[in-house]
Amino acid sequence: MSAQIPRPFLPTMSPSSAPVCDSSPDSDELHRKLQAKLAERSLKKQLAAIAEATQAEAWALLMERALAISPTPVALDQHLTDDQLALGSIYYQLAAADSEHVKGFLAEQYPSGIAQLPKACKVDYHSIQDCLMVQDFEEGDRRTLKKMCELASPTAAGRNWLYFTEVKLFAPLELQVLDRLWLLYSSGKFGFSVQRDLWLGVKQDWEKLWPKIDWKEGNHWTRYPGEFQWTLDAPKGHLPLTNQLRGVRVMEALMNHPAWSSPEA
């Protein structure tokens, strides 16, 4: 049985803001099929269903599904499930809805976004979430580097780039939270752990990884910022960026960090 939307979570809907629903048998059948797809175990199938839910009558199903996955922002101090990854796509669909009712739902349930940042973090990552929740991935990438530099040291924050030795000293939780922010708001498409999986998949061969994530083609490095893709249409693992002008050692330190082998990874 699918979860029902609890009354306390949803604002009262005025006639002018309420979606007009077709209650015909054909429409009911379409709703049942969409509801079943949204509850699929496969993340790929869930995302396909969410992409279909663009009509006003589907918003209620998306809100219902969001509440079933997580009625409060998702805690980033633990591993993300496929259902939680799907929440990012649901959030974007609802945020784009031209409905005061839906906007009220998001303001009530996820006022600062769908991620709950752990209090144990040494650095405040809310500014990154602010960008990712509106799909401003370019600014989110800049702020990711900025926060990593802040995490490293005041000196690193001043120069705005990292030594690989500084990356090695990051607490696992810090990198996990940064990674999960990107994972959550890309439905599993972007993140350091995604890049690591791809890197391991090509047997740690950098020259095979770069074209896979569209950072290099032949002898041509993708130029920052204009040649990078700052949307969800980018290849898997395209973001966040790590500067390669000083070689691969920072990227290598990220890929080999203990964060990915700790129990919470």
Side-chain angles (χ1 to χ4, degrees):
M1 180 182 300
S2 63
Q4 297 298 310
I5 302 175
R7 292 284 183 188
F9 290 120
L10 293 177
T12 302
M13 184 161 43
S14 67
S16 61
S17 64
V20 178
C21 296
D22 180 357
S23 59
S24 67
D26 286 346
S27 178
D28 289 344
E29 179 62 20
L30 287 173
H31 274 71
R32 282 193 291 271
K33 287 182 178 180
L34 180 57
Q35 194 170 39
K37 289 178 182 178
L38 289 170
E40 286 275 4
R41 294 176 64 87
S42 163
L43 176 60
K44 185 176 181 180
K45 290 181 179 179
Q46 285 192 53
L47 296 180
I50 293 164
E52 292 177 21
T54 56
Q55 301 302 316
E57 56 264 27
W59 296 338
L61 289 179
L62 289 181
M63 290 187 285
E64 180 180 300
R65 184 60 185 150
L67 289 174
I69 293 171
S70 184
T72 57
V74 176
L76 296 190
D77 57 357
Q78 55 193 2
H79 178 76
L80 297 178
T81 67
D82 280 354
D83 281 350
Q84 289 169 333
L85 292 177
L87 185 60
S89 189
I90 291 173
Y91 180 84
Y92 289 142
Q93 286 282 53
L94 292 175
D98 184 18
S99 163
E100 292 303 315
H101 174 56
V102 175
K103 294 182 191 307
F105 168 80
L106 293 177
E108 181 73 20
Q109 301 302 131
Y110 314 108
S112 300
I114 54 174
Q116 178 184 323
L117 297 167
K119 293 180 180 179
C121 287
K122 291 175 62 178
V123 171
D124 184 355
Y125 300 116
H126 282 93
S127 66
I128 300 174
Q129 173 160 230
D130 291 344
C131 294
L132 299 185
M133 65 190 287
V134 295
Q135 297 190 54
D136 187 352
F137 295 118
E138 184 173 355
E139 183 59 27
D141 178 72
R142 290 194 192 98
R143 294 187 187 188
T144 297
L145 173 60
K146 183 176 185 293
K147 291 300 180 179
M148 290 172 71
C149 289
E150 285 181 21
L151 182 62
S153 69
T155 303
R159 72 172 111 90
N160 203 39
W161 51 270
L162 295 163
Y163 287 116
F164 74 95
T165 50
E166 293 169 326
V167 173
K168 290 180 177 181
L169 298 177
F170 290 167
L173 177 64
E174 306 291 339
L175 273 185
Q176 288 165 357
V177 168
L178 281 170
D179 181 55
R180 287 166 188 160
L181 271 172
W182 281 94
L183 285 170
L184 191 60
Y185 282 103
S186 67
S187 293
K189 192 169 193 178
F190 301 146
F192 298 122
S193 63
V194 177
Q195 294 166 347
R196 183 175 186 271
D197 286 344
L198 293 170
W199 177 62
L200 294 175
V202 295
K203 302 186 184 303
Q204 304 177 31
D205 186 328
W206 297 110
E207 291 308 311
K208 290 182 179 178
L209 176 67
W210 304 141
K212 204 171 187 67
I213 60 177
D214 198 24
W215 287 12
K216 187 181 182 184
E217 189 62 45
N219 293 321
H220 175 74
W221 284 97
T222 305
R223 293 173 185 253
Y224 179 88
E227 293 183 356
F228 284 94
Q229 300 180 54
W230 306 106
T231 72
L232 290 171
D233 293 328
K236 187 174 184 179
H238 190 63
L239 301 172
L241 304 182
T242 302
N243 195 319
Q244 302 305 310
L245 289 177
R246 287 174 289 277
V248 302
R249 299 190 78 177
V250 171
M251 185 74 169
E252 188 173 44
L254 284 168
M255 300 297 96
N256 286 317
H257 197 278
W260 320 125
S261 57
S262 68
E264 294 80 16

